Amino acid sequence: MSNRIYNILFHTHTISGIFISLALYVIFFAGSFSFFRDEINSWERNEPLAAGWKLEEMDFDRVLDSLKTKDSLINRDITFNQYYNEQRLSLNISPPKNNKPKESGRRRRGTFKYLNTQDLNTYDYKSSYSIGEFLYRLHFFAQLNFFGRSGYLLAGIVAFFFLFAVVTGVLVHWKKIISNFFMFRPKASVKNLWTDAHTALGILGLPYQFIFALTGVYLIVGLTIMSPAIVKFIYEDSTEKAYDDFGFNSPEYEFSRKAMSNEFSVNSFLYETKKKWPEFEIRSTEIFNYGDQNMHIEFKGKANFDTKFASAGSITYKVATGEVVSEKNPFKEVSYLDGARAVIQRLHFGDFGGIAVKLIYFILGIVTCFVIISGVMIWLVARDKKSVSPAKRKFNAWLVWFYLAGCLSMYPVTAFTFLMVKLGLQDPGMERVSFIFQTYFWSWLLLTLIFTFLKNNALTNKWTLILGGAIGLMVPIANGLVTGNWLWISWSNGYKDILLIDAFWLLSSIGTLIIGLKTSLQKPVPAKAGKMVPA
C-alpha cells in the first residue's frame, strides 16, 4: 500500500469515526442492554417466565373463549405473535369481514393488544411500555421519529459510516494487525496508551463489530429507509406486491358468509403440528375467518436453533375438513430469502445460544464502547499540540468534555431509570411512556451539562462510575422491597430472568464502584494552556 493510499484511508477512518462517535456509543450502549430486553421486561413487570408462557404452550381455546366475552370474534382474522420471550404476546383482531363501509367510506379499524398468556389480561401499547422496550428502541433512535423516519435515518447513516470505519480500520492496521494486538505500553505517552488500547480491543472485537455494522446496515437501511424507495420506484407504489415478493403478506382466504356447522378446537391443530414437528418453535398463529365455513389456521415459526440455525416454516389447516392446505417444512425447505433473513436476524439479536451468547454479546458491546471512546481520546491528544492554534485546542477540549459527559453519563442514568421504574411505576394507571422518557432524558441532560462544565475528563470518568455503581446497588434492593423477589427467593423459585437482572446490577455495581474509587484524579490544566487531562 502506498503512503498516499494509507494516508487517505487513515484520515477517512478518523473522520468517519469522529463524525458518528457519540451516536455510535449510544447505539452500542443501549444495544448491549437490549440483548436482555426480555429479562428486563420480566423483572420490571414481575412476570417471570414460568411453564406455559410460550405461544405453543398456550391454551388457545381458553384464550378465545375469554376474548369472546369482551367482543365478538365471528368473521374476523385473529393473529397471535410472540416476537419476544416474555409472558405477553401481541394480539391483532381484524374488523368483521361483513362490515360495510360507513358513509365516510372507511371501515372499522381492527384491534391491537398485548395479551398475558398467564392471567389473560390485555394491555394497549402505552400501558405495556417498559424500560426494556425503551432501551431497545433507543439503540436505533426510534424516539427521534418526529418527522417521518428521521430517527431510523440517523441510525442508518451511523450504521453505514460504522461499516466504513471498520473496513478502513482493518486496512490501515493490516500489516501490523498481529504485532499491534500484543503491544501495550501503559508507561509510555498518553497517545500511545490510548492507541494501544484502541487497537488491541478493536481487533479483539473486530468480528463482532463487523457483524453488527453489516447487519445494522441491512436492518436499518435496507428495511426501514430503502423500502419506501423500493416500493415507489420498483413496485410502482404497490405495497401489496412488494410484500408478496418479500414474503410479508399473509395468504387470503375467501369469506364464505356461512357459519361453521361443526364444533372445532384450535388446540387440536396445535397438537397435531407439534406431533408432526416436535422441534418446531411456533412464533405466530393466525386464524382466518373465525367461525366461518372457510376458516383456516396457520402456524408459523422456525426450527429450534439446536436443530437448525437458519430456518422458517409454516403449516395451514382448513378447519372444516382438517386437511393441510399448505406446508413449508422448516427442517428441509429453506429458501434463499428465508435463510438469509434468518441468519442476519439471529446474528444481530443473539437469540441462538441462550444467556451465554447474550452475555458474550453484552461484554463485546461494552468493549466496543471503550474502543469508541479511546478513538476520540486519540483524536484529542493528537491535536493537543503547540502547533495547533489556542482557539482550535479550546474547541477540541470543549467538544470532548461534552462528548465524554454525554457518553459516560448513560451508565448512571440507566441505573437511575431502572430504580425509578421499580419504585415509581407500580400503579397500572400511570402514564408509563412519558414517565420513562422524562426520567431518562432529563437526568441524562442534567448529568451531561454538569460534567461538561466541570471540564475534567478524569473526574467525569471517576464520578460516572461511582454514581452508576451506587445507584445500581439500590436496584436489586428496590426490587426486593417492592416485589419480595430478593435474589435468594428468585433463585429458589427458578425465576432466572428476574435473578439475572438483579445479579447483573449487583455485580456490575460492585465492580464499577471499586474501579471508580481506585481511579486517581489529576489536577486539570486550563484549556487555554493547551493541556487536557485524559479520562
Side-chain angles (χ1 to χ4, degrees), residues 37 50 56 64 84 90 97 109 147 241 248 250 278 289 310 362 366 404 423-424 446 463 474 480 486 498 515-516:
R37 176 198 176 280
E56 60 192 44
L64 291 170
Y84 309 107
S90 65
K97 292 191 175 182
R109 291 185 177 181
F147 306 100
K241 186 177 180 182
F248 295 141
S250 297
N289 305 325
F362 177 86
I366 299 302
L404 283 185
L423 296 177
L446 179 62
W463 281 103
M474 293 187 280
W486 299 93
I498 296 177
I515 295 172

Side-chain angles (χ1 to χ4, degrees), residues 20-48:
I20 64 171
S21 55
L22 179 56
L24 190 63
Y25 185 95
V26 174
I27 287 175
F28 271 96
F29 188 89
S32 296
F33 278 87
S34 297
F35 292 124
F36 302 104
R37 176 198 176 280
D38 304 343
E39 290 78 11
I40 291 172
N41 285 350
S42 296
W43 175 89
E44 178 183 343
R45 299 164 179 165
N46 196 35
E47 296 178 355

